[in-house]
């Protein structure tokens, strides 16, 4: 029996394990999935979690519930020594544990790319996990409650100022959805007006959404600006100390909420703590068949996919091209991993991963979106419907599809839920204080 260890339970890891369970007999392999979180996050839903259009738990797929034959281990892998066929992982409690394997699959995913901007580490919230999306939503709702009892002035303006750093898909989608939520909230806060809101999107490049062509990118900028947003192109964040935002253009303002979505960086475990080959950026060198290695030689019994792997994009036909690190590729790479690992274990040759892009689609808020497939561009409400239709089909398991659809129907009939549960971040405060306000 082969011991298969999958490092990372994200898209690629979850789909690899899920499909290995279907393809391999119980006596062929023992599958172990190691991840600090016991669930897979469906990241395309995070912007809608922020806006209250998707319940937070519905954007997470339980590994233990759906991987019935795999052993799920809650821990952080700290070292991979493939020469010895061992790895070390760190559970939440106790010492590091060493684990042996026969076949390793690394789908650990990338981490948020950060820059040494003063104040960012203390002030900003990322956009990779469900907990972050919930925290962003709750912070905005709490800011509305606080601002509604204040007179017009600098403090009210600070509370209702939101800054997103990064104009990629996750940043633009999150920005558009949160702007949609904030605008809708004004109906419930008669003390506040649209002029009180100040939303800023900061992008170092000269355009946003690099996955689409220039025309749709410009349309998105115009659409956001028509809704009152400020889009700062060719602009860098210089400082965010104590929430005081300083831009490279010289503009300064105070911002209660700062969201950092400035791209991905190599997972440090992959980049620095493994004897497997990595490229100059710290991503695993991967062949077209998803085996780790080069075209000249594959590393035996080592596979990788997803955001931590430099997977050749065979479909585009350009030498050196790599697949885009998005959910569309990660899901299909996970399925392809399972098929290739099964083939090799049964004495057959693995096949190259080839996937023609299905296009790109983004939500920009309730009823607004953009879609592009080659030269076909759709904007507005039809694109938003395409976005919802695609992702409700793409989210794994029928149980999650039904739950998400039910929330969408309820939101359509009754509107979005605007309750903030920010107090869950301090669950003992009410018990300790007994309801007595804390001294200022």
């Amino acid at each position: 029996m082969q011991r298969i260890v999958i490092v990372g339970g994200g898209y690629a890891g979850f789909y690899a394990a899920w499909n290995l369970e279907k393809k391999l007999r119980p006596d062929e392999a023992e599958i172990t999935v190691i991840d600090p979180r016991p669930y897979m996050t469906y990241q395309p839903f995070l912007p809608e979690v922020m806006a209250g259009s998707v319940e937070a738990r519905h954007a997470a797929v339980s590994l233990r519930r759906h991987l019935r034959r795999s052993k799920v281990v809650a821990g952080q892998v700290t070292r991979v020594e493939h020469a010895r066929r061992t790895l070390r992982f760190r559970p939440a409690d106790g010492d590091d544990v060493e684990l042996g394997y026969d076949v390793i699959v690394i789908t650990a995913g990338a981490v948020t790319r950060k820059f040494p901007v003063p104040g960012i580490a203390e002030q900003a919230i990322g956009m990779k996990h469900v907990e972050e999306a919930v925290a962003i939503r709750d912070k905005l709702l709490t800011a509305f409650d606080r601002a509604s009892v204040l007179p017009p002035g600098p403090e009210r303006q600070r509370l209702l100022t939101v800054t997103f750093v990064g104009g990629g898909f996750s940043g633009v989608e999150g920005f558009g959805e949160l702007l949609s939520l904030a605008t809708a909230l004004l109906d419930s806060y008669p003390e506040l007006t649209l002029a009180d809101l100040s939303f800023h999107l900061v992008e170092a490049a000269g355009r946003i959404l690099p996955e689409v062509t220039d025309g749709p990118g410009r349309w998105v900028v115009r659409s956001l600006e028509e809704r009152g947003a400020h889009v700062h192109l060719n602009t860098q964040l210089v400082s965010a100390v104590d929430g005081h935002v300083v831009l490279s253009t010289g503009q300064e303002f105070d911002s209660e909420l700062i969201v950092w979505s400035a791209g991905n960086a190599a997972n440090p475990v992959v980049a620095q703590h493994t004897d497997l080959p990595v490229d100059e950026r710290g991503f695993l060198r991967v062949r077209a068949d998803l085996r780790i290695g080069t075209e000249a030689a594959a590393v035996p019994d080592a596979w990788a996919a997803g955001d931590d792997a430099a997977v050749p994009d065979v479909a585009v036909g350009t030498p050196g091209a790599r697949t885009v690190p998005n959910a569309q590729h990660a899901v299909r790479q996970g399925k392809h991993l399972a098929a290739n690992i099964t083939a090799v274990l049964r004495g057959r040759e693995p096949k190259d991963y080839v996937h023609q892009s299905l296009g790109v689609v983004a939500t920009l808020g309730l009823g607004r979106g953009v879609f592009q497939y080659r030269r076909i561009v759709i904007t507005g409400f039809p694109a938003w419907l395409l976005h919802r239709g695609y992702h409700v089909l793409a989210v794994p398991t029928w149980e999650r599809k039904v739950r998400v659809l039910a929330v969408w129907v309820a939101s359509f009939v009754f509107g979005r839920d605007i309750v903030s549960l920010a107090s869950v971040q301090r669950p003992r405060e009410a018990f300790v204080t007994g309801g007595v306000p804390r001294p200022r």
Side-chain angles (χ1 to χ4, degrees):
M1 181 179 289
Q2 293 287 296
R3 297 170 299 169
I4 302 175
V5 172
I6 299 174
V7 179
Y11 298 116
F14 173 81
Y15 276 94
W18 205 22
N19 283 270
L20 281 171
E21 288 186 354
K22 298 173 184 177
K23 293 177 180 296
L24 294 175
R25 300 187 307 273
D27 62 344
E28 284 186 281
E30 175 187 272
I31 305 167
T32 301
V33 179
I34 306 176
D35 196 287
R37 290 175 170 82
Y39 55 82
M40 184 208 85
T41 301
Y42 191 72
Q43 290 183 342
F45 277 158
L46 293 188
E48 295 203 58
V49 170
M50 286 184 202
S53 298
V54 170
E55 172 62 34
R57 285 184 174 84
H58 299 169
V61 179
S62 170
L63 299 180
R64 295 182 185 276
R65 179 168 184 172
H66 298 288
L67 300 180
R68 300 301 180 90
R69 283 177 42 205
S70 300
K71 180 180 180 181
V72 177
V73 175
Q76 175 69 55
V77 172
T78 57
R79 178 75 187 172
V80 176
E81 296 184 46
H82 191 64
R84 296 176 51 229
R85 298 296 196 278
T86 61
L87 60 77
R88 298 184 69 83
F89 70 88
R90 181 169 299 158
D93 303 293
D95 299 327
D96 285 11
V97 178
E98 186 169 278
L99 179 67
Y101 62 82
D102 299 305
V103 178
I104 191 166
V105 180
I106 299 185
T107 54
V111 298
T112 301
R113 181 177 60 180
K114 290 179 284 189
F115 298 99
V117 177
I120 278 297
E122 296 78 16
Q123 300 294 327
I125 303 175
M127 255 196 69
K128 273 196 170 293
H129 304 291
V130 174
E131 299 91 339
E132 293 172 326
V134 172
I136 291 168
R137 167 182 161 78
D138 285 345
K139 190 160 188 175
L140 179 72
L141 293 172
T142 301
F144 265 76
D145 285 331
R146 294 169 61 190
S148 66
V149 297
L150 293 176
E155 183 61 15
R156 176 193 273 192
Q157 186 68 65
R158 180 187 68 81
L159 287 169
L160 298 179
T161 298
V162 176
T163 305
F164 272 66
V165 183
F169 252 82
S170 60
V172 171
E173 287 191 309
F175 184 80
E177 284 287 349
L178 209 64
L179 176 60
S180 177
L181 172 61
T183 305
L185 282 173
L186 294 174
D187 290 338
S188 301
Y189 291 85
E191 307 89 347
L192 305 175
T193 68
L194 186 61
D196 291 316
L197 300 181
S198 185
F199 272 65
H200 298 264
L201 176 62
V202 181
E203 170 54 46
R207 52 165 297 178
I208 61 173
L209 297 179
E211 295 86 349
V212 303
T213 55
D214 290 346
R218 288 192 296 267
W219 179 88
V220 172
V221 171
R222 290 196 304 271
S223 174
L224 292 173
E225 289 178 338
E226 287 169 359
R227 294 159 60 189
H230 307 278
V231 181
H232 306 270
L233 301 179
N234 295 308
T235 304
Q236 295 179 337
L237 179 65
V238 176
S239 175
V241 175
D242 296 329
H244 182 70
V245 172
V246 181
L247 303 180
S248 59
T249 58
Q251 186 174 355
E252 300 183 25
F253 50 87
D254 292 323
S255 183
E256 171 69 5
L257 176 57
I258 301 174
V259 181
W260 184 270
S261 58
N264 295 327
N267 192 304
V269 174
V270 172
Q272 304 167 19
H273 302 287
T274 176
D275 56 357
L276 293 167
V278 297
D279 64 14
E280 64 282 356
R281 300 175 302 157
F283 294 93
L284 287 165
R285 294 187 183 276
V286 178
R287 296 156 51 98
D289 58 12
L290 302 183
R291 287 185 288 183
I292 297 175
T294 63
E295 287 301 316
V299 177
D301 305 318
W303 305 77
D307 292 355
D308 62 355
V311 179
D313 195 341
V314 178
V316 301
T318 303
R322 299 288 182 262
T323 58
V324 178
N326 61 20
Q328 188 177 141
H329 280 296
V331 168
R332 288 162 179 81
Q333 287 171 10
K335 295 177 180 179
H336 198 79
L337 271 174
N340 274 358
I341 292 171
T342 301
V344 170
L345 291 181
R346 294 176 178 174
R348 302 193 303 270
E349 288 296 313
K351 297 180 180 179
D352 287 351
Y353 169 75
V354 183
H355 171 63
Q356 297 286 350
S357 174
L358 301 176
V360 292
V361 61
T363 175
L364 303 173
L366 200 62
R368 300 177 176 91
V370 59
F371 167 82
Q372 181 172 20
Y373 176 70
R374 298 181 180 176
R375 295 185 179 181
I376 301 173
V377 177
I378 302 174
T379 59
F381 185 74
W384 177 77
L385 285 178
L386 282 172
H387 176 272
R388 285 207 160 180
Y390 173 79
H391 285 299
V392 78
L393 292 175
V395 68
T397 79
W398 279 103
E399 173 250 347
R400 277 298 179 258
K401 297 180 199 295
V402 172
R403 289 182 186 273
V404 169
L405 278 172
V407 172
W408 282 346
V409 171
S411 297
F412 178 78
V413 176
F414 302 109
R416 286 182 285 205
D417 198 319
I418 61 170
V419 175
S420 169
L421 295 178
S423 59
V424 300
Q425 299 172 39
R426 304 180 304 276
R428 298 185 64 252
E429 184 174 21
F431 173 73
V432 172
T433 64
V436 178
R438 292 179 298 173
R440 292 185 182 275

